[in-house]
Amino acid sequence: MSNNIPYKTYLSEDEIPSKWYNVRADMKNKPAPLISPATGKPLTLEDLNPIFCEELNKMELDNDTKWFDIPEEVLSFYKMYRPSPLTRAYFLEKALGTPAHIYYKFEGNNTSGSHKLNSAIAQAYCAKKQGLKGVTTETGAGQWGTALSMATAFLGLDCKVYMVKCSYEQKPFRREVMRTYGASVTPSPSDTTEVGRKILAEHPGTTGSLGCAISEAVEAAVTNDGYRYVLGSVLNQVLIHQTIIGLETQAALKKLGVKADMIIGCAGGGSNLGGLATPFIGEMLRGEADYKIIAVEPASCPSFTRGKFAYDYCDTGRICPLAKMYTLGSQFIPSANHAGGLRFHGMSPILSQLYHDGLFEARAVEQTSVFEAATLFARTEGILPAPESSHAIRATIDEALKCKETGEAKNIVMGLTGTGYFDLVAYEKFNSKTMSDQLPTDEELNEYLSRLPKVD
Amino acid sequence: MSNNIPYKTYLSEDEIPSKWYNVRADMKNKPAPLISPATGKPLTLEDLNPIFCEELNKMELDNDTKWFDIPEEVLSFYKMYRPSPLTRAYFLEKALGTPAHIYYKFEGNNTSGSHKLNSAIAQAYCAKKQGLKGVTTETGAGQWGTALSMATAFLGLDCKVYMVKCSYEQKPFRREVMRTYGASVTPSPSDTTEVGRKILAEHPGTTGSLGCAISEAVEAAVTNDGYRYVLGSVLNQVLIHQTIIGLETQAALKKLGVKADMIIGCAGGGSNLGGLATPFIGEMLRGEADYKIIAVEPASCPSFTRGKFAYDYCDTGRICPLAKMYTLGSQFIPSANHAGGLRFHGMSPILSQLYHDGLFEARAVEQTSVFEAATLFARTEGILPAPESSHAIRATIDEALKCKETGEAKNIVMGLTGTGYFDLVAYEKFNSKTMSDQLPTDEELNEYLSRLPKVD
């Protein structure tokens, strides 16, 4: 150990932040408003309330309030599994022979296995407070569905989960965890919704997509009395809830007397990267500090690096609002070959605007190189990482190796969103050397992007 | 929250104990010595060294040294995943409506998912120091094998794991984790050893047992150059390594100003209960304090409550030393119906002697009631517990409900050994209501116990 930095830094319970941060309050260029697919006009609370929980909708549309109090009940729940540790990766550094100091904020120390629980409990709490019977949602890798079922079980709410069919089949154990927490889980597309039946008719044999599961969950929410739809990523409210990650990281770094040089996070819909990075980006927007921030996405679903900044539907079924975001087109579905999560065609509107304004950079990495990084990390740092998180590990290792060349002792802070316990089918492919990379062609992407909706 | 006790208490890094505790130094009645199956005489270092690592053998036979320094390298590894939190189960207490204060020491916050890593790294370190190529071992539920493969990957050693066949088949993902950490995994009984071939010939179609996998792993160690056998439970050395659990618990309780009334742990081979409880039992032996300590075992493998305190073989193949312990007979194999781990026919000789001397009590619980307790715990405290750990949860809930009747605010400390991520086949059975209890009959047990070896 060097510099008296411990392996793991835990905040004490009363050092856990009691407010969430809303970066929009510090943004000069606010994210473009969500637009109603019906009217073509910016969405109002009245438009949103039939679909989402009321309290959350206020947060969704609020570009001005910088800090939101975390409700006492949510804070109590947080204290069951938070603070999450900020760990110095001494053994990874040693294996790489890098002078860089690598820190990771590990969000996998809870049964859902990821950071998703931070927003799940906040959203379930609002549903409960509104007197609802239950909530509907979609889940891809299963992390969000598990997190939500933990939160709803805790609060005594019903939970209907639409799970992307390929995950449903590849991850029977994820299903069983959700069932243990009392949720019902339906493979998507299914014949339980109109949109599901339509997609099945058009694409028989499809293994599903997150966009399609979203359409089904939304339909289930609006057609069932006392239900609302909740979503684990992309939305502004989710990024706000997830800032608990970045705020805790800032507090821990401050405690250690360490100034981060780089912040690296994986990006699918943006929940983790937004939660980790926006408190730091806020410092940049206020001119208080400067950081190099890197969003890492899969080369097979490259929204930032090959997508277009434009209005698009958030779901395949085109019943959700339109958002201005980096998108590959709402009909884009990553190759079935892609095992590494982060499958959403779009990106958080907040992050999209920040990226457009040059507040951070993005890079795409291929899945075989991601699993190589994951294996090295597992063997040196002990933790078996989620494929999603491993995108950030890949970029972190690459940056640390650059430091080795230049001799710079940079402080790299990485978001380790979760564990890979439920991703062993993917690890099996990698271990058996049957995993390959299959990227979308330019023709394919252009085709999807040419079909973006026209919004004035 | 009451009494200003936080949800979770973490020790700081420099509060992690730097020594392991050996309860034998405080025992008036020492455990009976291990006996060589070949000579019928107490085992010496010379007998043990061909099978086990030298440094560990010294520890195994040492009845006098009270404290062992934890090597610096092991302590560094510990700091990657320790200290483990001591959590106040506020939400479980509330759900039960009990005045009892329930604390649990959670050992599942590492990729192996259990406390087994505490001894795995210590044993792998000794193998490395001795200049060995690798180690062999057996694993049942897979926790020990995973832990050992993490430790050997970290130190660059080879690792050959014999996995009880029913687990190998029911837990393909466990296998894949071990493989990711570079271990080779063979289902047991296998045709790769003489003893395996013999068992397969006698019991074709057997789903295996821990005792049988031990026999194979020992044979693989003594027939391969530069290999030794390591074991994750039962042995004295393992209990010593695992005292990190109890010592951390004592330090955390002291920090909180809380005096435990009861200590509850599950018992299979004794690694967790011994690690958690012996530091407290030491206080009792030295006349410094008094505790009610409860060992909880499965009714389908009831070594303490229905076994005999006698010399017996530690393995089905009868090639391992004999130990004086509570045993069901080395040929005993729990019903295939039993899903909850803790399948070993014997029990740690140290714990056996302490139990015989009345230092703690034992109770057996049926698996359906164990999974009921697990589900309540998961839904209130968030953590999906391992079936093994859930035996302790069952007894803890029962004790807390007794407190509800008597109105006593007892402090109950429970060992939560691990997570149930890899036990979802068992949860699926429970959730689908296809799980049942199938206990050994008296006739069956008497038959096995009548065949115990005769030792003078």
Side-chain angles (χ1 to χ4, degrees):
Chain A
M1 196 196 306
S2 59
N3 304 335
N4 295 319
I5 302 287
Y7 284 82
K8 295 164 82 121
T9 302
Y10 284 104
L11 301 175
S12 70
E13 192 162 292
D14 49 18
E15 290 169 326
I16 295 180
S18 60
K19 293 172 196 294
W20 291 305
Y21 170 65
N22 179 10
V23 71
R24 282 172 293 168
D26 282 319
M27 289 168 72
K28 263 175 229 144
N29 303 326
K30 308 290 181 192
L34 294 174
I35 281 184
S36 158
T39 65
K41 291 194 180 141
L43 279 171
T44 62
L45 278 181
E46 290 63 42
D47 295 321
L48 288 169
N49 286 346
I51 305 175
F52 301 98
C53 301
E54 287 170 22
E55 203 60 42
L56 297 168
N57 292 333
K58 286 186 204 154
M59 196 178 264
E60 191 63 28
L61 299 184
D62 189 335
N63 281 345
D64 306 307
T65 306
K66 194 183 287 194
W67 297 100
F68 287 95
D69 284 329
I70 304 176
E72 195 50 53
E73 293 84 345
V74 175
L75 210 49
S76 292
F77 187 88
Y78 278 176
K79 287 174 183 173
M80 275 207 301
Y81 70 97
R82 307 199 67 84
S84 72
L86 183 71
T87 304
R88 174 79 184 269
Y90 281 111
F91 294 116
L92 177 61
E93 291 171 18
K94 198 175 153 198
L96 297 173
T98 178
H101 294 189
I102 301 171
Y103 296 83
Y104 56 92
K105 179 75 169 165
F106 180 45
E107 292 289 318
N109 269 354
N110 69 74
T111 284
S112 75
S114 84
H115 66 294
K116 298 281 182 178
L117 195 54
N118 300 329
S119 184
I121 185 62
Q123 297 193 44
Y125 169 76
C126 290
K128 176 87 176 177
K129 220 177 126 195
Q130 195 179 324
L132 298 175
K133 278 188 222 160
V135 290
T136 71
T137 199
E138 82 297 330
T139 197
Q143 293 179 334
W144 168 247
T146 311
L148 188 66
S149 58
M150 285 174 69
T152 50
F154 183 78
L155 296 169
L157 289 169
D158 186 35
C159 183
K160 298 184 195 296
V161 179
Y162 287 84
M163 187 170 186
V164 178
K165 192 181 267 172
C166 68
S167 296
Y168 184 89
E169 284 162 3
Q170 282 189 1
K171 302 189 176 186
F173 291 172
R174 270 283 183 198
R175 264 162 35 200
E176 211 52 48
V177 179
M178 291 186 250
R179 212 171 145 205
T180 298
Y181 283 98
S184 69
V185 187
T186 307
S188 167
S190 76
D191 59 7
T192 67
T193 64
E194 237 176 81
V195 61
R197 288 189 291 271
K198 187 161 168 261
I199 293 168
L200 278 174
E202 284 169 15
H203 306 278
T206 175
T207 55
S209 74
L210 212 48
C212 155
I214 292 175
S215 301
E216 290 206 82
V218 171
E219 183 181 323
V222 297
T223 55
N224 278 289
D225 239 17
Y227 283 78
R228 291 294 184 282
Y229 169 66
V230 296
L231 176 62
S233 192
V234 183
L235 295 177
N236 300 337
Q237 60 188 263
V238 175
L239 262 70
I240 292 176
H241 301 147
Q242 293 293 357
T243 57
I244 189 79
I245 305 172
L247 296 168
E248 274 189 13
T249 304
Q250 287 181 322
L253 288 172
K254 194 174 166 194
K255 209 167 169 174
L256 296 174
V258 169
K259 159 79 176 62
D261 296 303
M262 256 183 257
I263 317 283
I264 300 178
C266 64
S271 68
N272 157 66
L273 182 72
L276 173 66
T278 60
F280 292 93
I281 292 175
E283 291 182 41
M284 293 167 74
L285 291 168
R286 299 188 301 268
E288 296 165 5
D290 201 26
Y291 302 101
K292 175 172 171 164
I293 296 174
I294 307 173
V296 194
E297 60 184 12
S300 55
C301 192
S303 327
F304 275 133
T305 53
R306 294 176 71 193
K308 205 166 156 181
F309 186 44
Y311 265 105
D312 194 11
Y313 293 94
C314 289
D315 65 324
T316 313
R318 299 180 179 175
I319 63 172
C320 281
L322 292 98
K324 191 171 180 192
M325 59 184 177
Y326 280 86
T327 179
L328 297 163
S330 65
Q331 304 308 301
F332 177 85
I333 296 180
S335 154
N337 170 291
H338 175 60
L342 311 173
R343 305 172 67 88
F344 186 58
H345 68 272
M347 183 53 67
S348 140
I350 292 177
L351 289 182
S352 293
Q353 184 65 49
L354 290 167
Y355 181 62
H356 188 70
D357 291 344
L359 270 302
F360 60 90
E361 54 189 86
R363 72 178 61 160
V365 290
E366 300 192 1
Q367 66 178 352
T368 47
S369 76
V370 164
F371 278 84
E372 277 165 23
T375 302
L376 176 62
F377 187 84
R379 293 185 182 186
T380 53
E381 290 293 317
I383 297 169
L384 186 81
E388 293 82 358
S389 325
S390 304
H391 289 73
I393 297 174
R394 174 74 269 164
T396 298
I397 290 175
D398 293 342
E399 290 300 317
L401 291 175
K402 280 185 208 162
C403 287
K404 188 177 178 177
E405 279 177 31
T406 62
E408 289 171 289
K410 285 187 182 164
N411 290 318
I412 305 176
V413 175
M414 174 184 98
L416 189 70
T417 55
T419 62
Y421 294 133
F422 293 101
D423 301 286
L424 287 159
V425 170
Y427 272 98
E428 201 279 331
K429 275 187 197 156
F430 177 73
N431 290 335
S432 312
K433 302 193 194 311
T434 59
M435 176 177 278
S436 63
D437 298 299
Q438 192 175 327
L439 313 189
T441 62
D442 286 338
E443 291 68 33
E444 212 179 316
L445 285 187
N446 289 338
E447 167 62 21
Y448 287 119
L449 290 172
S450 70
R451 287 191 263 154
L452 289 181
K454 288 185 186 24
V455 175
D456 306 318
Chain B
M1 195 196 308
S2 58
N3 303 335
N4 294 320
I5 301 286
Y7 284 83
K8 295 163 83 121
T9 303
Y10 285 103
L11 301 175
S12 70
E13 193 161 57
D14 48 18
E15 290 169 327
I16 296 180
S18 60
K19 293 172 196 294
W20 292 304
Y21 170 65
N22 179 11
V23 71
R24 283 172 292 168
D26 281 320
M27 290 168 73
K28 265 177 227 140
N29 303 325
K30 308 290 181 191
L34 295 173
I35 281 184
S36 157
T39 66
K41 291 192 179 145
L43 279 171
T44 62
L45 277 181
E46 290 65 40
D47 295 320
L48 288 168
N49 286 345
I51 305 175
F52 301 99
C53 302
E54 287 169 22
E55 204 60 42
L56 296 168
N57 292 332
K58 286 186 204 154
M59 195 178 265
E60 191 64 29
L61 298 183
D62 189 335
N63 281 344
D64 306 307
T65 305
K66 194 183 288 194
W67 298 99
F68 287 94
D69 285 329
I70 303 177
E72 195 50 52
E73 293 84 343
V74 175
L75 210 48
S76 292
F77 188 88
Y78 277 176
K79 287 174 183 172
M80 274 206 304
Y81 70 98
R82 307 199 68 83
S84 72
L86 182 72
T87 305
R88 174 78 184 271
Y90 282 110
F91 294 116
L92 177 62
E93 290 171 18
K94 198 176 155 199
L96 297 173
T98 178
H101 295 189
I102 301 172
Y103 296 83
Y104 58 92
K105 179 74 170 167
F106 180 45
E107 292 289 318
N109 269 354
N110 69 75
T111 285
S112 76
S114 84
H115 67 294
K116 297 281 183 180
L117 196 53
N118 300 330
S119 183
I121 186 63
Q123 296 193 44
Y125 169 76
C126 290
K128 177 85 175 179
K129 219 177 127 195
Q130 195 179 323
L132 298 175
K133 277 187 223 161
V135 291
T136 71
T137 199
E138 82 297 330
T139 197
Q143 293 178 334
W144 168 246
T146 311
L148 188 66
S149 58
M150 285 174 69
T152 51
F154 184 78
L155 296 169
L157 288 169
D158 185 36
C159 183
K160 298 182 196 299
V161 180
Y162 287 84
M163 187 169 186
V164 177
K165 193 181 266 173
C166 68
S167 297
Y168 184 89
E169 284 162 2
Q170 280 190 0
K171 302 188 176 187
F173 290 172
R174 271 282 184 199
R175 264 162 33 201
E176 210 51 51
V177 179
M178 292 186 249
R179 214 171 144 206
T180 299
Y181 283 97
S184 69
V185 188
T186 308
S188 167
S190 76
D191 59 6
T192 66
T193 65
E194 239 178 78
V195 62
R197 288 188 291 270
K198 189 161 166 261
I199 293 167
L200 279 174
E202 284 169 15
H203 307 277
T206 175
T207 56
S209 74
L210 211 47
C212 154
I214 292 174
S215 301
E216 290 205 83
V218 170
E219 184 181 323
V222 297
T223 56
N224 278 289
D225 240 17
Y227 282 78
R228 291 295 184 281
Y229 168 66
V230 296
L231 177 63
S233 192
V234 184
L235 296 176
N236 301 335
Q237 59 187 262
V238 174
L239 262 70
I240 292 177
H241 301 146
Q242 293 294 357
T243 57
I244 189 78
I245 305 173
L247 295 167
E248 274 190 12
T249 303
Q250 288 181 320
L253 288 171
K254 195 175 166 194
K255 209 166 169 173
L256 296 174
V258 169
K259 159 78 175 65
D261 297 304
M262 256 183 258
I263 317 283
I264 300 178
C266 63
S271 68
N272 157 65
L273 182 73
L276 173 67
T278 60
F280 292 93
I281 292 175
E283 291 182 41
M284 293 167 75
L285 290 168
R286 297 189 301 269
E288 297 166 5
D290 201 25
Y291 302 101
K292 175 172 171 165
I293 296 175
I294 306 174
V296 194
E297 59 185 13
S300 55
C301 191
S303 325
F304 276 134
T305 52
R306 295 176 71 194
K308 206 166 156 182
F309 187 44
Y311 266 106
D312 194 10
Y313 293 94
C314 288
D315 64 324
T316 314
R318 300 182 178 174
I319 63 171
C320 282
L322 291 98
K324 191 172 180 190
M325 58 184 178
Y326 281 86
T327 179
L328 298 163
S330 65
Q331 304 308 300
F332 176 85
I333 296 180
S335 153
N337 171 289
H338 175 61
L342 311 172
R343 306 172 67 89
F344 186 57
H345 68 272
M347 183 53 66
S348 140
I350 291 177
L351 289 182
S352 293
Q353 185 65 49
L354 290 167
Y355 181 63
H356 188 70
D357 291 345
L359 271 301
F360 61 90
E361 54 189 85
R363 72 178 61 159
V365 290
E366 299 192 2
Q367 67 178 352
T368 47
S369 76
V370 164
F371 277 85
E372 277 164 23
T375 302
L376 176 62
F377 188 84
R379 293 186 183 187
T380 53
E381 290 293 316
I383 297 170
L384 185 81
E388 293 82 357
S389 324
S390 304
H391 289 72
I393 297 174
R394 175 73 269 165
T396 297
I397 290 175
D398 293 342
E399 290 299 318
L401 291 175
K402 280 185 208 161
C403 287
K404 187 177 180 178
E405 279 177 32
T406 62
E408 289 170 291
K410 284 188 182 164
N411 290 318
I412 304 176
V413 175
M414 173 183 97
L416 189 70
T417 55
T419 60
Y421 294 132
F422 293 101
D423 301 286
L424 288 159
V425 170
Y427 273 97
E428 200 279 330
K429 276 187 196 157
F430 177 73
N431 290 335
S432 312
K433 303 195 195 307
T434 58
M435 176 178 278
S436 64
D437 298 298
Q438 191 175 328
L439 313 188
T441 63
D442 286 339
E443 292 69 32
E444 212 179 316
L445 285 187
N446 289 338
E447 168 63 20
Y448 287 119
L449 291 172
S450 69
R451 287 191 264 154
L452 289 181
K454 287 184 185 28
V455 175
D456 306 317

